[in-house]
């Protein structure tokens, strides 16, 4: 086997590839923040709707949503009033975004490990069954019993917005847990809408919609990477579903679920990087167009559509829906009638008490039976508080109420008041539960650890640069991970930028489930370290990360001129394996869940890890010490 050095041009551009890879592989981290921000606008829309509907101009509110609007193409014509355009049109887009998010999380996101979905799944199931039972027990029966679907859903945007206000300071893990619960809620809610609250079904048109769904799911297999064909098919599916007699939300959710999500492949990232370099060298429009196409192909259609549509969903669709549906005229005794109605309180108690008891009970049952465990940093008090906030059913609840009581205005008004009261009471109850959990159980944070568990030790850590340098970057890496390999260019650029003020610390985090040769490579690096050649072996392993068999590591040791008897002995020594395991254990204790993960000093870095971002973080950390001290007590 011959070892070849990289060409100088590739060496110079490695940091750019690392930056590009970081940007391409970063998940849609803005999701949570966008939901929380949209909740404020949602509250404004609710207030405007209520004030308008109870003002002297209330007739204008009603007539606005009764206004007919039509779309015609040739002889094909679709005509609905504005209220139905919102509920059947915009809400289909809302559920399309939810479907995209669900597919992403299940494919490559927080729910890709099926073991992680067991406890949220049981909590979500409990959070639907218990509210329905309470609703049926409290409602007076008759026509009111048909509205049981009102209490099954949770408004993700409203809930996460409330969590940001009343929840613990660090809520990443709790957010992921609650998001997993709402995945179950949303899928079941849309199924209930389609099965229970749809009208008569036109079977031939429904079959046509299903054929379109099959076509949609097949596009990726045929290498279709442009978003336009997916969007066109989803629009036609929506039209067919609407005419088939099903609620259009079915088409939205199904369309999102059928668009695959994937992590960027190594080949596509390299391809995009080459075109990006070409554009930097020759900034011509045609070269720029090719570079843009390369970037688009590297990111899945699912993520591209999420990135574009999610702000529209949170900042436009949901507030417009609230404006169209929350405007209940409470005058002339309507409010008093609602407050005295068992239907109103069945909705309120079902959502507030039912969600809290169901979510918490399902999670406790699953953990007690040993079916799974809560995420790191999430305690029972957090689950109770999250369960309380799950009682904010708002968007889905109002949609189902409008379908269940479409021909009963008084019942619709009562159910709407119940949904609004539940949102208020659930927010207050969540605030109270989180405060009690903090006061009585000490559960103040719900997040992965944020600080380096084991301080940097010059005697045992792999350190490149002065051991007493004021700027410290710690990386947990995997020698078989292509994105870790690209990060080496980033660290090289940082060393050039900061010189002797900077030290780089490498810690091992082999991920054998996805990289079967990573642990052997880590042991080879540690064995080379025993002879003072760790960084040389480090570079060779990353340069040849597709060639990491046992024999390959031996060849690399020979090329480095190592004492082969000593190297082979150290490679198989239990102390070498223990050294790697110690780094992996510190990664777990430090809240690391993947490679590469970086720490600036002692604090875990989140977000992009391109050279410029890390440089800014390092410069901002100079007031926090060199990183050789222990993390502050939580």
């Amino acid at each position: 086997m011959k070892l070849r050095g990289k060409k100088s041009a590739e060496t110079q551009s490695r940091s750019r590839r690392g930056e590009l890879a970081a940007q391409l592989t970063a998940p849609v981290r803005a999701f949570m923040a966008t939901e929380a921000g949209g909740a404020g606008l949602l509250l404004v829309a609710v207030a405007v709707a209520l004030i308008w509907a109870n003002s002297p101009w209330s007739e204008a509110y009603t007539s606005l949503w009764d206004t007919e609007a039509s779309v015609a193409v040739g002889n094909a014509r679709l005509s609905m009033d504005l209220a139905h355009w919102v509920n059947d049109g915009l809400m289909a887009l809302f559920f399309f975004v939810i479907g995209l998010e669900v597919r992403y999380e299940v494919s490559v996101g927080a729910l890709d490990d099926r073991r992680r979905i067991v406890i949220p799944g049981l909590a979500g199931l409990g959070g639907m069954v218990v509210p329905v039972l309470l609703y049926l027990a409290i409602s007076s029966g008759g026509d009111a019993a048909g509205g049981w679907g009102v209490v099954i859903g949770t408004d993700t945007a409203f809930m996460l917005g409330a969590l940001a206000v009343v929840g613990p300071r660090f809520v990443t893990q709790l957010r992921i847990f609650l998001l997993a619960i709402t995945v179950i809620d949303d899928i079941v809610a849309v199924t209930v809408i389609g099965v229970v609250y749809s009208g008569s079904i036109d079977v031939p048109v429904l079959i046509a919609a299903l054929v379109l769904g099959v076509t949609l799911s097949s596009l990726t297999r045929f290498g279709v990477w442009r978003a336009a064909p997916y969007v066109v098919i989803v629009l036609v599916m929506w039209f067919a579903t609407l005419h088939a007699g099903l609620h259009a939300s079915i088409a939205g959710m199904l369309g999102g679920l059928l668009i695959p999500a994937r992590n960027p492949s190594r080949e596509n990232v390299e391809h995009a990087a080459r075109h990006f370099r070409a554009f930097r060298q020759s900034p011509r429009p045609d070269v720029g167009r090719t570079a843009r196409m390369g970037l688009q192909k590297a990111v899945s259609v699912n993520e591209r559509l999420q990135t574009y549509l999610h702000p529209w969903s949170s900042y436009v669709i949901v507030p417009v829906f609230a404006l169209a549906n929350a405007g209940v005229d409470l005058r002339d005794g309507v409010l008093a009638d609602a407050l005295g109605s068992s239907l109103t309180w069945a909705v309120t108690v079902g959502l507030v008490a039912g969600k809290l008891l169901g979510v918490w009970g399902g999670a406790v049952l699953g953990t007690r039976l040993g079916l799974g465990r809560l995420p790191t940093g999430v305690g029972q008090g957090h689950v109770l508080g999250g369960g309380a906030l799950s009682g904010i059913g708002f968007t889905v609840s109002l949609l189902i109420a409008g379908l269940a009581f479409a021909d009963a205005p008084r019942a619709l008004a009562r159910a709407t008041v119940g949904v609004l009261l539940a949102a208020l009471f659930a927010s207050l109850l969540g605030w109270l539960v989180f405060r009690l959990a903090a006061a009585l159980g000490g559960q103040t944070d719900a997040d992965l650890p944020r600080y380096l568990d084991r301080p940097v030790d010059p005697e045992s850590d792999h350190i490149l640069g002065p051991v007493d340098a004021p700027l410290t970057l710690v990386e947990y890496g995997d020698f078989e991970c292509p994105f870790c390999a690209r990060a080496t260019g980033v660290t090289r650029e940082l060393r050039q930028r900061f010189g002797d003020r900077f030290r780089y610390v490498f810690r091992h985090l082999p991920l054998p489930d996805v990289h079967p040769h990573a642990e052997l490579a880590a042991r080879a690096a540690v064995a080379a370290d025993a002879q003072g050649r760790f960084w040389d072996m480090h570079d060779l392993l990353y340069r040849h990360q597709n060639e990491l068999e046992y024999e390959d590591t031996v060849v690399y040791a020979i090329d480095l001129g190592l004492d082969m008897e000593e190297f082979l002995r150290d490679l198989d020594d239990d102390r070498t394996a223990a050294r790697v395991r110690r780094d992996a254990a510190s990664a777990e204790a430090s809240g690391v869940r993947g490679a590469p993960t970086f720490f600036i000093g002692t604090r875990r870095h989140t977000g992009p890890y391109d050279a410029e971002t890390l440089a800014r973080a390092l410069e901002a950390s100079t007031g926090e010490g060199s990183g050789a001290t222990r993390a502050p007590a939580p």
Side-chain angles (χ1 to χ4, degrees):
M1 180 181 300
K2 297 181 179 179
L3 304 181
R4 300 293 184 189
K6 296 290 185 182
K7 294 180 180 180
S8 59
E10 185 173 351
T11 301
Q12 294 170 358
S13 64
R14 193 175 296 145
S15 63
R16 297 192 186 103
R17 293 206 309 272
E19 178 179 350
L20 179 60
Q23 294 169 348
L24 292 175
T25 59
V28 190
R29 296 185 179 95
F31 170 72
M32 301 293 186
T34 304
E35 291 287 7
L41 192 57
L42 176 60
L43 283 174
V44 172
V46 172
V48 170
L50 285 171
I51 292 172
W52 191 358
N54 291 274
S55 72
W57 303 279
S58 59
E59 282 215 19
Y61 176 85
T62 304
S63 62
L64 171 65
W65 303 113
D66 287 339
T67 302
E68 288 286 326
S70 301
V71 174
V73 178
N75 294 326
R77 181 183 180 85
L78 181 61
S79 181
M80 296 186 289
D81 59 42
L82 289 183
H84 279 88
W85 276 109
V86 171
N87 293 343
D88 294 338
L90 291 183
M91 288 306 291
L93 183 56
F94 168 80
F95 281 109
F96 176 65
V97 175
I98 289 178
L100 291 171
E101 292 162 354
V102 171
R103 181 61 185 266
Y104 175 84
E105 295 298 337
V106 170
S107 298
V108 296
L111 307 178
D112 62 337
D113 185 346
R114 299 301 180 264
R115 293 171 295 182
R116 298 180 187 174
I117 197 64
V118 174
I119 299 302
L122 290 173
L125 182 62
M128 288 181 287
V129 173
V130 176
V132 170
L133 293 176
L134 286 177
Y135 176 90
L136 293 175
I138 298 172
S139 66
S140 57
D143 293 338
W148 58 268
V150 175
V151 298
I152 64 174
T154 296
D155 188 309
T156 306
F158 216 145
M159 178 202 53
L160 293 179
L163 180 64
V165 175
V166 307
R169 186 163 59 107
F170 299 130
V171 294
T172 303
Q173 290 301 102
L174 180 57
R175 279 176 168 176
I176 293 173
F177 178 74
L178 294 177
L179 177 61
I181 294 175
T182 61
V183 165
I184 309 298
D185 279 359
D186 290 331
I187 292 176
V188 173
V190 172
T191 303
V192 168
I193 290 172
V195 174
V196 179
Y197 298 113
S198 293
S200 58
I201 306 300
D202 186 330
V203 176
V205 179
L206 178 60
I207 293 174
L210 293 176
V211 170
L212 287 169
V214 173
T215 304
L216 181 67
S217 66
S218 302
L219 290 182
T220 301
R221 297 181 182 179
F222 290 104
V224 178
W225 58 269
R226 296 182 184 274
Y230 294 86
V231 173
V232 170
I233 291 178
V234 170
L235 284 174
V236 179
M237 272 182 64
W238 169 79
F239 185 81
T241 304
L242 196 63
H243 280 270
L246 288 174
H247 193 273
S249 59
I250 291 285
M253 176 68 85
L254 185 61
L257 289 172
L258 291 176
I259 298 179
R262 55 168 173 75
N263 283 320
S265 68
R266 182 176 182 178
E267 292 76 15
N268 283 340
V269 172
E270 290 283 3
H271 184 74
R274 286 196 298 270
H275 287 299
F276 181 71
R277 288 200 309 274
F279 178 67
R280 288 178 65 91
Q281 296 166 359
S282 178
R284 291 157 39 96
D286 55 336
V287 181
R289 184 169 56 254
T290 302
R292 184 174 66 251
M293 290 171 58
L295 290 170
Q296 290 176 340
K297 291 176 70 173
V299 180
S300 68
V301 176
N302 182 295
E303 291 175 271
R304 279 185 273 138
L305 288 173
Q306 276 195 66
T307 302
Y308 181 76
L309 293 176
H310 197 277
W312 285 97
S313 174
S314 296
Y315 287 101
V316 178
I317 294 174
V318 173
V320 169
F321 174 83
L323 186 65
N325 290 272
V328 181
D329 191 340
L330 301 175
R331 297 170 296 181
D332 300 327
V334 173
L335 179 59
D337 173 71
L339 293 177
S341 168
S342 60
L343 172 58
T344 300
W345 295 108
V347 172
T348 304
V349 175
L351 283 170
V352 178
K355 286 289 185 180
L356 183 146
L357 295 174
V359 169
W360 179 75
V364 168
L365 178 64
T367 53
R368 292 284 173 84
L369 293 177
L371 300 177
R373 61 181 182 177
L374 295 174
T376 304
V378 176
Q380 293 294 340
H382 299 130
V383 176
L384 272 172
L389 294 183
S390 296
I392 304 175
F394 202 78
T395 305
V396 178
S397 295
L398 287 180
L399 178 62
I400 295 179
L403 297 171
F405 304 115
D407 300 323
R410 288 185 64 187
L412 177 58
R414 293 168 178 172
T416 302
V417 171
V419 172
L420 296 176
L421 287 175
L424 174 62
F425 293 158
S427 300
L428 294 175
L429 182 60
W431 174 84
L432 178 62
V433 170
F434 283 126
R435 294 303 174 272
L436 290 175
L440 302 178
Q443 296 180 11
T444 55
D445 293 339
D447 197 11
L448 291 169
R450 288 173 170 252
Y451 291 94
L452 197 63
D453 173 68
R454 191 181 78 231
V456 174
D457 182 0
E459 297 298 322
S460 60
D461 272 312
H462 308 302
I463 301 176
L464 189 61
V467 295
D468 58 349
L471 301 177
T472 298
L473 179 71
V474 180
E475 178 190 353
Y476 285 92
D478 175 314
F479 285 113
E480 203 172 355
C481 168
F483 304 112
C484 294
R486 287 162 180 73
T488 59
V490 174
T491 57
R492 188 173 294 110
E493 186 173 333
L494 292 172
R495 288 175 56 210
Q496 293 173 351
R497 178 168 181 164
F498 292 114
D500 289 343
R501 297 175 56 222
F502 174 75
R503 65 175 180 174
Y504 167 56
V505 181
F506 182 89
R507 287 183 174 177
H508 303 280
L509 183 59
L511 303 172
D513 289 344
V514 290
H515 300 138
H517 305 99
E519 190 168 349
L520 172 64
R523 287 194 283 114
V526 173
D529 186 47
Q531 300 184 47
R533 303 296 297 274
F534 171 81
W535 293 106
D536 295 317
M537 181 64 80
H538 168 279
D539 293 345
L540 276 176
L541 292 170
Y542 271 136
R543 194 178 305 155
H544 300 276
Q545 61 178 187
N546 291 327
E547 301 168 308
L548 295 178
E549 299 287 349
Y550 187 91
E551 295 80 3
D552 297 322
T553 63
V554 173
V555 172
Y556 304 150
I558 294 173
D559 288 343
L560 291 176
L562 300 182
D563 182 320
M564 291 309 300
E565 184 177 347
E566 180 181 350
F567 174 80
L568 293 174
R569 183 174 60 249
D570 289 337
L571 183 63
D572 296 325
D573 196 306
D574 288 341
R575 289 174 295 181
T576 300
R579 169 70 180 78
V580 175
R581 288 196 299 269
R582 186 168 70 251
D583 275 3
S586 76
E588 174 74 19
S590 303
V592 177
R593 289 296 181 268
T597 295
F598 294 93
F599 285 76
I600 305 296
T602 61
R603 188 174 181 85
R604 178 159 48 88
H605 173 75
T606 57
Y609 47 86
D610 58 280
E612 191 59 37
T613 300
L614 289 175
R616 287 196 300 268
L618 285 163
E619 290 168 343
S621 73
T622 53
E624 301 176 4
S626 66
T629 58
R630 283 195 179 275

